[in-house]
Amino acid sequence: MTKALVSAFALLAATPALAERGADGDLKVLYWQAAAVLNPYLSTGAKDIDAASMVIEPLALVANDGSLIPQLAAEIPTLENGGIAADFSHVIWKLKPDVLWSDGSPFTAEDVKFTADYCRAPDFGCAVLAEFDGIDSVEVLDPLSVKINFSYPKFVPLQAFVGGRTPILQKAQFEGCTGAAGASCSDQNFAPIGTGPFRVTNFVPGDVAQFEANPNYRDPQKPAFATVTIKGGGDAMSAARAVLETGEYDFAWNLQLDPETVKRMEAAGKGAVYASFGTMVERIELNQSNPSSSLPSEERSSAAHPHPFLTDPAVRRALSMAIDRPLMTELTYGPAGSPTCTITPVPAAYVSEDVTCLTQDIEGAKAVLEEAGWIAGADGIREKDGVRLEILFQTTVNAVRQDVQAMVKQWWSEIGVATELKTVEGSSFFGGDPGNPDSLARFMADAQMYTDAYYLPDPASFLDEFTCASIPSPESQWQGSNSLRFCDAAFDQQMAQMHQTSDPAERQRIAREMADIVAIEGHYMLPLIHRGMVSARANSLAGTVPNGWEGSLWNVADWSRAE
Amino acid sequence: MLNFTIRRLLLAVPTLLFISLVIFLLLEISPGDPLGDVPLTVPPEVKEKMREALGLGQAWYIRYALWLKQFFWIEPLHWFDQVFGTGYAEGAQRIISFQSRSPVFDVIAQRLPQTLIVVGMSYVIAVLIAIPIGIISAYRQYSWIDQLGTFVSMIGFSMPTFFTGVVMIIVFGVKLQWFPSVYDTTLQVRDWDSFLAQVRQMVMPVTVLALFNAAQISRFMRASMLDNLGQDYVRTARAKGLSERTVVLKHVLRNSLIPVVTVIALGLPTVFGGALITEQVFKINGIGQLLITAIYANDIPMVLTVTFLFAILIVVFTLIADILYGVLDPRIRYD
Amino acid sequence: MTETDRQRALDTAEQVDATAAAAAVVSGLPPDDPVHAGGETRSQWRDVWRQFRSHKGAMVALVLFVGVLLFVSVGPYLWTIDPTYVDIRARNSGFSAAHPLGTDQLGRDMLARLMAGGRVSIAVGLTAMIIAVTLGSFIGLVSGYFRRLDAPLMRLTELFLALPLLPLLLLMVTLFREPLSQNFGPAMGIFILIVSAIGATSWMQAARIVRGDVLGLKEREFILAAKSIGTPPRRMILRHILPNVLSPIMVAATLGIATAIITESALSFLGLGFPPDFPTWGRLLFDAVDQMVLYPSRVILPGVLISLTVLCVNYIGDGLRDAMDPRIRGR
């Protein structure tokens, strides 16, 4: 946060008081994964949403501290200003007056209503449909206010149209693209008309997107850049090189690189990296079901067969104690990560105070295992009743993750646990194909490491992933978010209570307790590192502000050329 | 020979249909999910709806039949419309990519220029370098030029392009700053300056690829020349009093070209297929990069179409090679 | 250089054995088997060896290659640090007595990793190359010689050339990883999987090249002559055709080793190869590319070893080809 403030001040200092639109020329941005489409409702990843955020805007954005910044909304609806109904049955958004689309037509509540209907249309396959969950209907009250009715009291009412994943589309442009027709409207999907600081001039899917300043943007002095090019392709290392070493580009996105190399590149003096901390926590999940290959294949990793030793709390605790999280973070993520014990790392109100896991305790871990009856055999591997502590540990192919794997294997071997490492190609690991034995939901291993993110400060929908009902099973075609097969009545009860609670402080308390049940107390999941999204920017670029909740280009309207 | 060509072309149709079916089935069964990149917080029901919107709800044979129809009927029709301004393909669904939701052929057309220019140029240079080097190496076997050729080509072949490419970027891009490290696909050659810029950005990828390809071709050229230089007909030709030049460049070279023709015929389709790693390293975003991202994203229509076009080229070029065998060595006959 | 000298001083008998083994491996020919081979063959092989020894480049290459083989096979018994042992305090250390070639970013000993990695890379490279070249030569010979089989085999070749490699490999691994590692143990299972995956996807070039040569050869006079005296096809192929297409096969084999070593690293990049902490030359090279400027030795060492191996095999192949060509042998 302080960092954000510092760079915000730096920006104020660097920008001339009276900037002129388009005065700073061309901005060159490098995304090593290229955008495939500029319509977030059809997108499958952050690369598309970021590029689209140059053009189309939501009603409000989430700021780095978790508060909301009005964007197309005149103000953020609250209980006090009457925007949010006292019974949480609806929310009324007031829109900014005199906002124009880049084609010169006025932006109205009709566009908001249209966008909601567009995403909720059957046969469309909207990628962010979950954000519109619970919406019964959207009404236009007058051209500048829109009312969203919920079918049940929704205690997190500001969800749809908050954040860059659900921006407003222009009704006039997308009218013919609803439902099944939506998929093939490539002209619209490649060049949406927006209210944002830029408009699309050229888009080549998977390669490059070019923009120019929107002449109708509501702030006449912005954006400072006349044109923007977002080039895609390559890999993180070469992207960093193009900004930090050769200076060919001004900005590069998502650079998960080893800290030493980055530091050397920064020494060239052309640019610097900074990290935005969102909700990503690199974590190890310990399988509560038995993945043994001696079981019939359809019963492997099904909840019917509990894991032979990871169901023992002592083993899970020892595995957690053996890991030196600070050292691991320093070696692999450097300034782009910080060691953590929780799975809900931001905002601060949701973070549990218990940080004992940050201290590695090999001897303690050994003692915990001894006490629980796990005794080292002849080869140093602990066993009890003929069960040996042998772990198959899988993750995706990624140089940094492989280093983490090697370190964890070493530490676990020091407490008498043997580890076999396995890597799976990313799209196979994250894919939902039920026939694929390597997917994260199928979980045919004892431990697995990955990260996922959620996009609203309230973690209810994230914690919902770990209820008993979400356990993947043969009946559900192995679909389900609770891949670690954790099932605890107390947790489910808390979840139900959270869904009934409207008081923010109370929700925060419940969320903290739930996160603790899974991680800090239960050690079902071993949180390792709170990961930031690392970007590189040239020294000649001013105005970049880290924001863990939004895409890297979230405030591109404020970017300018430093003197 | 004409008979043979016609027979082979007719046979190519069922072969290609079979190849397309095998590729389709391969993509169907191999693990991976077009929605693998969707955030994990997206609930399964939403993913199911997205899957249906992609047309994945239908049985595989229906989707395969649809693709066949689109590839062999709608796409040619659309092309016809474009050329003659007619409207036969109006409203018919073209092959749509899962990633960008745009027609696959449009994307391929956008990618083809840079691939053909960079990979094609490197292949031409590779052939132009490799054949003389192969000939000289064989003719002066174990001379210093042969030893140097062997050394360079073996290093060139055993060093993967992900390594040589990065070395070039560090030396010529970062240290010397002679060439850009990022290939700009939006650059249009309009005048002398933009032409120079285009040349500058092509130098490194073309060099890396040409080195790799030339290594391979020159080795085959050399081995084949060596085989033929020891043959009796060479001695006869020399005894007849033909000049050394005629003997080597006319008789020996022609007889040695068969394996080289094979290698080049196998290499030319890859010019279209692009160079996966080199395109990645220099961010050229041609067909190779298109294919690899489509494979990672399990964009089945895209992968199927690109590999199928590739298969057509392979079938055509093997046919051309077979015909050339007959031209180079009239004893070879297929009838 | 001292290494070379020492190797040169090795007793000749051992060298002969090594050569015989290497020759068998490299050429894919039947080994010199005294039980079955007559006296005549025996002396032919001795001729070949004599000729081979006079080829200076080949001899140097042979000695170096044996050196590399010893480095990866005997080396780990002399230098006993576990290549996967993580010693974070000693990370990124330079050349020292404790770590003669330094350590990597997690403090793993580079010398031990190069030895262990070379063992896998050479085994994978040679085996996959032999599979690919044998399969390719067989298909090429059969399809070039028997007109009836030509069309189906060449259409099969085209099919394999057209298949997208990545999904194919992913599928192979998903289907066969578990059954193979259950039957042969995890390490051996993955080894079999990798060499067959590489072999099965890289034989097509050899097949096309051999077939092209055979098509021309089988119309030559000496083949017609052999045919007219009623030589059965099997002997025709082995005796008269195969020796004449040996040199392109040899080139394909040399290039095949390099391809296999690099492909192996690409496979592990896809999560399809050996466990991630298990080193191979290809992967050591790949992993070190990002840190090339900071730690150049980490790319140079595996890079040099790969190139050295490929160069050695190339020169040995050259020497063997010359030695087995009766026209050259007379010179």
Side-chain angles (χ1 to χ4, degrees):
Chain A
M1 251 240 284
T2 39
K3 243 189 217 167
L5 283 177
V6 169
S7 23
F9 282 124
L11 153 73
L12 287 179
T15 330
L18 265 175
E20 194 186 331
R21 174 176 294 157
D24 284 350
D26 190 36
L27 171 69
K28 291 174 80 106
V29 176
L30 200 52
Y31 266 55
W32 55 270
Q33 285 183 344
V37 65
L38 291 183
N39 180 350
Y41 295 95
L42 286 171
S43 144
T44 53
K47 56 192 189 349
D48 309 320
I49 294 165
D50 281 16
S53 74
M54 307 266 303
V55 177
I56 38 183
E57 298 172 297
L59 296 179
L61 286 172
V62 185
N64 201 31
D65 60 0
S67 63
L68 300 186
I69 311 167
Q71 200 72 3
L72 289 174
E75 59 180 9
I76 301 296
T78 57
L79 283 168
E80 293 72 39
N81 69 16
I84 298 176
D87 60 354
F88 291 90
S89 64
H90 68 258
V91 53
I92 295 170
W93 288 91
K94 298 261 182 237
L95 309 180
K96 273 190 184 138
D98 306 325
V99 173
L100 295 181
W101 293 100
S102 59
D103 64 358
S105 61
F107 160 75
T108 70
E110 286 292 341
D111 296 306
V112 181
K113 176 181 162 53
F114 169 78
T115 308
D117 294 343
Y118 171 79
C119 180
R120 292 161 69 231
D123 307 332
F124 174 58
C126 181
V128 285
L129 189 59
E131 311 299 328
F132 292 82
D133 198 32
I135 294 183
D136 181 58
S137 64
V138 180
E139 282 173 61
V140 175
L141 298 181
D142 61 66
L144 290 181
S145 46
V146 62
K147 180 179 173 197
I148 300 179
N149 295 310
F150 301 117
S151 45
Y152 56 84
K154 200 167 156 71
F155 297 118
V156 191
L158 304 183
Q159 188 173 6
F161 305 122
V162 173
R165 299 165 70 244
T166 49
I168 315 289
L169 299 174
Q170 191 195 33
K171 181 179 180 185
Q173 188 189 19
F174 276 86
E175 219 158 12
C177 297
T178 50
S184 44
C185 282
S186 25
D187 289 345
Q188 287 85 343
N189 296 333
F190 285 178
I193 293 172
T195 52
F198 293 93
R199 62 181 184 187
V200 186
T201 52
N202 175 31
F203 179 67
V204 183
D207 180 19
V208 68
Q210 290 176 303
F211 306 88
E212 64 181 10
N214 172 5
N216 293 312
Y217 188 57
R218 55 185 175 275
D219 185 337
Q221 285 164 8
K222 289 177 180 171
F225 287 102
T227 54
V228 181
T229 304
I230 303 185
K231 164 84 178 172
D235 53 273
M237 176 53 85
S238 61
R241 202 174 279 132
V243 174
L244 301 177
E245 286 197 312
T246 67
E248 289 165 89
Y249 279 77
D250 297 310
F251 183 86
W253 156 90
N254 192 7
L255 310 172
Q256 194 189 8
L257 295 170
D258 96 281
E260 215 179 336
T261 308
V262 171
K263 202 181 275 174
R264 186 191 56 77
M265 286 181 160
E266 280 181 323
K270 292 213 159 98
V273 299
Y274 68 92
S276 304
F277 286 89
T279 53
M280 287 195 295
V281 172
E282 191 78 10
R283 61 178 197 246
I284 297 178
E285 294 187 344
L286 299 175
N287 196 344
Q288 295 305 297
S289 66
N290 192 352
S292 163
S293 57
S294 56
L295 292 169
S297 74
E298 265 308 279
E299 289 175 34
R300 294 176 65 182
S301 290
S302 68
H305 298 276
H307 196 279
F309 58 85
L310 289 176
T311 43
D312 181 345
V315 174
R316 295 196 304 266
R317 184 158 167 240
L319 292 177
S320 176
M321 289 165 79
I323 298 173
D324 187 342
R325 291 171 172 84
L327 179 62
M328 172 193 280
T329 309
E330 184 198 326
L331 291 191
T332 52
Y333 290 82
S338 64
T340 185
C341 295
T342 180
I343 50 170
T344 50
V346 281
Y350 293 92
V351 182
S352 170
E353 280 103 49
D354 185 346
V355 289
T356 42
C357 89
L358 296 187
T359 326
Q360 185 192 33
D361 186 0
I362 297 273
E363 292 312 313
K366 283 184 190 164
V368 168
L369 287 174
E370 291 283 341
E371 207 175 307
W374 295 95
I375 309 301
D379 55 353
I381 308 301
R382 289 178 192 272
E383 55 183 69
K384 180 164 107 177
D385 308 331
V387 177
R388 284 161 58 84
L389 294 183
E390 283 172 331
I391 289 179
L392 176 62
F393 179 18
Q394 70 178 11
T395 188
T396 63
V397 179
N398 173 316
V400 176
R401 286 201 170 122
Q402 263 74 84
D403 282 356
V404 172
Q405 265 188 317
M407 280 187 255
V408 169
K409 176 181 178 173
Q410 179 70 33
W411 287 321
W412 284 355
S413 79
E414 284 168 23
I415 62 167
V417 177
T419 312
E420 187 192 331
L421 304 182
K422 179 182 165 188
T423 51
V424 183
E425 195 272 308
S427 72
S428 181
F429 184 75
F430 291 112
D433 181 356
N436 171 12
D438 291 331
S439 75
L440 111 134
R442 193 65 185 84
F443 203 176
M444 298 250 231
D446 303 293
Q448 65 186 2
M449 177 169 66
Y450 66 96
T451 182
D452 67 354
Y454 52 96
Y455 303 97
L456 282 178
D458 186 280
S461 63
F462 171 67
L463 291 169
D464 224 3
E465 290 183 10
F466 307 105
T467 53
C468 300
S470 309
I471 294 180
S473 65
E475 294 76 41
S476 69
Q477 291 288 303
W478 301 106
Q479 304 296 313
S481 47
N482 187 353
S483 47
L484 71 167
R485 285 111 169 110
F486 154 80
C487 184
D488 184 333
F491 183 90
D492 281 17
Q493 212 179 337
Q494 297 265 43
M495 192 74 244
Q497 202 193 332
M498 187 164 175
H499 284 313
Q500 303 299 324
T501 309
S502 63
D503 175 36
E506 183 63 8
R507 287 179 74 90
Q508 284 160 5
R509 185 192 61 80
I510 299 176
R512 276 200 305 269
E513 279 180 23
M514 290 173 71
D516 284 359
I517 294 177
V518 193
I520 292 171
E521 289 157 18
H523 305 290
Y524 295 96
M525 265 193 265
L526 313 181
L528 302 174
I529 297 163
H530 180 201
R531 282 175 54 181
M533 186 66 118
V534 186
S535 308
R537 60 163 185 84
N539 287 338
S540 61
L541 180 66
T544 57
V545 177
N547 185 341
W549 300 97
E550 297 293 343
S552 307
L553 305 174
W554 72 284
N555 69 335
V556 69
D558 303 336
W559 290 13
S560 64
R561 193 59 73 192
E563 295 310 314
Chain B
M1 199 51 90
L2 183 69
N3 225 337
F4 164 77
T5 314
I6 293 170
R7 210 176 56 220
R8 272 285 293 275
L9 282 176
L10 287 179
L11 194 60
V13 175
T15 313
L16 283 170
L17 282 179
F18 181 69
I19 291 180
S20 75
L21 179 64
V22 174
I23 299 175
F24 181 83
L25 290 178
L26 176 68
L27 297 175
E28 269 304 292
I29 11 179
S30 71
D33 183 352
L35 303 179
D37 267 354
V38 172
L40 295 168
T41 32
V42 172
E45 314 85 73
V46 176
K47 280 193 188 168
E48 198 45 51
K49 285 200 178 125
M50 293 170 73
R51 212 163 266 141
E52 269 164 30
L54 293 176
L56 286 168
Q58 283 157 324
W60 66 267
Y61 48 86
I62 297 180
R63 283 181 287 134
Y64 176 63
L66 180 67
W67 179 83
L68 281 181
K69 181 185 158 207
Q70 290 171 335
F71 189 93
F72 288 104
W73 180 242
I74 296 175
E75 290 292 344
L77 212 58
H78 180 84
W79 181 79
F80 186 86
D81 285 354
Q82 291 263 301
V83 176
F84 297 102
T86 48
Y88 296 117
E90 202 79 33
Q93 180 75 287
R94 300 175 66 194
I95 306 173
I96 298 287
S97 150
F98 284 173
Q99 294 172 89
S100 65
R101 308 293 180 94
S102 65
V104 162
F105 274 92
D106 291 358
V107 182
I108 295 176
Q110 286 165 343
R111 301 305 185 88
L112 209 48
Q114 50 264 38
T115 290
L116 287 185
I117 291 175
V118 174
V119 188
M121 177 71 82
S122 72
Y123 213 85
V124 170
I125 291 180
V127 172
L128 290 180
I129 296 177
I131 290 186
I133 287 187
I135 296 172
I136 298 170
S137 287
Y139 190 67
R140 300 240 178 270
Q141 196 188 6
Y142 303 131
S143 65
W144 67 267
I145 193 162
D146 178 29
Q147 304 285 13
L148 182 74
T150 305
F151 191 77
V152 171
S153 58
M154 279 301 142
I155 304 271
F157 195 79
S158 57
M159 284 297 98
T161 46
F162 67 73
F163 173 67
T164 41
V166 175
V167 170
M168 291 208 78
I169 287 184
I170 288 180
V171 175
F172 297 108
V174 177
K175 295 273 182 275
L176 299 173
Q177 308 244 341
W178 288 357
F179 306 116
S181 73
V182 179
Y183 188 95
D184 179 7
T185 47
T186 58
L187 182 76
Q188 281 168 347
V189 178
R190 265 182 259 100
D191 45 23
W192 180 247
D193 282 345
S194 56
F195 174 74
L196 273 187
Q198 175 67 20
V199 170
R200 267 158 42 92
Q201 69 177 350
M202 280 172 60
V203 170
M204 291 202 289
V206 167
T207 313
V208 165
L209 276 177
L211 179 68
F212 187 78
N213 286 322
Q216 192 187 19
I217 300 170
S218 71
R219 295 316 290 169
F220 281 107
M221 187 75 236
R222 174 182 180 271
S224 182
M225 285 290 284
L226 276 178
D227 267 1
N228 277 289
L229 278 169
Q231 297 285 344
D232 296 336
Y233 74 84
V234 179
R235 214 171 302 169
T236 316
R238 282 186 180 136
K240 266 198 322 190
L242 292 179
S243 74
E244 230 8 59
R245 202 185 161 77
T246 323
V247 173
V248 175
L249 290 185
K250 205 154 172 209
H251 296 264
V252 182
L253 179 61
R254 179 173 177 157
N255 277 296
S256 315
L257 274 178
I258 284 186
V260 180
V261 163
T262 315
V263 174
I264 295 178
L266 290 180
L268 282 177
T270 59
V271 169
F272 163 80
L276 303 186
I277 296 168
T278 314
E279 289 190 4
Q280 178 100 356
V281 170
F282 295 99
K283 300 178 210 56
I284 296 172
N285 296 345
I287 303 277
Q289 189 261 4
L290 176 68
L291 184 61
I292 196 96
T293 45
I295 287 175
Y296 276 129
N298 278 279
D299 186 348
I300 296 175
M302 181 67 85
V303 181
L304 184 58
T305 310
V306 173
T307 37
F308 187 66
L309 290 173
F310 188 56
I312 295 178
L313 289 178
I314 287 171
V315 170
V316 169
F317 276 96
T318 45
L319 174 61
I320 293 176
D322 281 355
I323 295 171
L324 278 179
Y325 295 163
V327 175
L328 289 170
D329 186 346
R331 280 173 302 198
I332 297 180
R333 293 225 233 117
Y334 302 98
D335 306 308
Chain C
M1 218 44 229
T2 45
E3 171 82 344
T4 323
D5 293 337
R6 201 170 55 80
Q7 288 299 337
R8 265 188 218 281
L10 275 180
D11 135 352
T12 341
E14 208 180 300
Q15 272 194 1
V16 171
D17 286 348
T19 324
V25 167
V26 169
S27 66
L29 283 175
D32 182 10
D33 187 345
V35 182
H36 293 290
E40 186 203 318
T41 343
R42 180 86 208 160
S43 75
Q44 188 198 333
W45 280 105
R46 194 169 296 158
D47 270 5
V48 168
W49 169 235
R50 190 175 304 134
Q51 178 66 32
F52 185 85
R53 260 192 316 194
S54 70
H55 190 303
K56 221 184 292 167
M59 280 311 288
V60 173
L62 182 66
V63 170
L64 281 173
F65 190 60
V66 172
V68 171
L69 287 182
L70 288 177
F71 173 70
V72 302
S73 56
V74 181
Y77 295 101
L78 303 176
W79 186 253
T80 50
I81 292 185
D82 179 357
T84 64
Y85 182 80
V86 174
D87 181 4
I88 291 170
R89 271 154 304 167
R91 70 176 187 275
N92 293 333
S93 63
F95 300 165
S96 67
H99 302 287
L101 297 179
T103 59
D104 70 0
Q105 75 277 12
L106 295 179
R108 293 175 290 202
D109 183 72
M110 277 305 284
L111 179 57
R113 286 177 81 70
L114 283 170
M115 287 173 178
R119 192 184 271 206
V120 182
S121 286
I122 291 184
V124 167
L126 287 178
T127 324
M129 174 274 283
I130 290 170
I131 293 177
V133 168
T134 315
L135 192 65
S137 312
F138 176 77
I139 290 184
L141 283 169
V142 170
S143 131
Y145 190 78
F146 302 103
R147 182 167 292 173
R148 211 168 271 281
L149 292 175
D150 187 27
L153 283 178
M154 281 304 108
R155 299 300 85 73
L156 180 77
T157 314
E158 281 163 14
L159 170 67
F160 266 86
L161 281 168
L163 285 183
L165 210 54
L166 234 69
L168 182 66
L169 292 169
L170 274 171
L171 181 66
M172 282 178 80
V173 172
T174 325
L175 291 181
F176 305 120
R177 174 146 64 185
E178 289 255 325
L180 279 173
S181 54
Q182 266 165 24
N183 289 327
F184 300 96
M188 195 59 196
I190 291 192
F191 179 78
I192 294 177
L193 187 65
I194 288 180
V195 293
S196 31
I198 299 176
T201 51
S202 53
W203 54 269
M204 293 82 77
Q205 196 186 36
R208 287 285 308 174
I209 291 167
V210 169
R211 168 180 170 275
D213 266 9
V214 173
L215 284 176
L217 266 177
K218 76 175 177 188
E219 307 296 337
R220 295 263 184 95
E221 291 78 4
F222 70 96
I223 299 290
L224 296 178
K227 224 182 228 169
S228 67
I229 58 166
T231 317
R234 189 171 164 271
R235 201 178 318 152
M236 282 294 289
I237 291 179
L238 288 180
R239 266 283 158 100
H240 300 286
I241 299 204
L242 183 61
N244 280 294
V245 292
L246 217 50
S247 59
I249 293 181
M250 214 71 103
V251 176
T254 322
L255 300 179
I257 290 189
T259 317
I261 291 178
I262 301 304
T263 312
E264 186 281 321
S265 71
L267 286 183
S268 51
F269 181 61
L270 294 170
L272 308 179
F274 293 94
D277 55 338
F278 203 87
T280 67
W281 283 349
R283 187 183 311 181
L284 289 173
L285 178 64
F286 185 85
D287 286 351
V289 163
D290 275 358
Q291 297 184 317
M292 181 159 24
V293 181
L294 278 176
Y295 305 104
S297 72
R298 281 188 214 156
V299 273
I300 293 171
L301 288 170
V304 164
L305 283 169
I306 295 175
S307 297
L308 184 68
T309 309
V310 176
L311 267 173
C312 287
V313 174
N314 173 65
Y315 274 104
I316 295 171
D318 264 8
L320 269 180
R321 200 192 58 87
D322 287 3
M324 279 187 299
D325 187 338
R327 274 183 290 261
I328 298 182
R329 209 186 301 152
R331 282 209 298 241

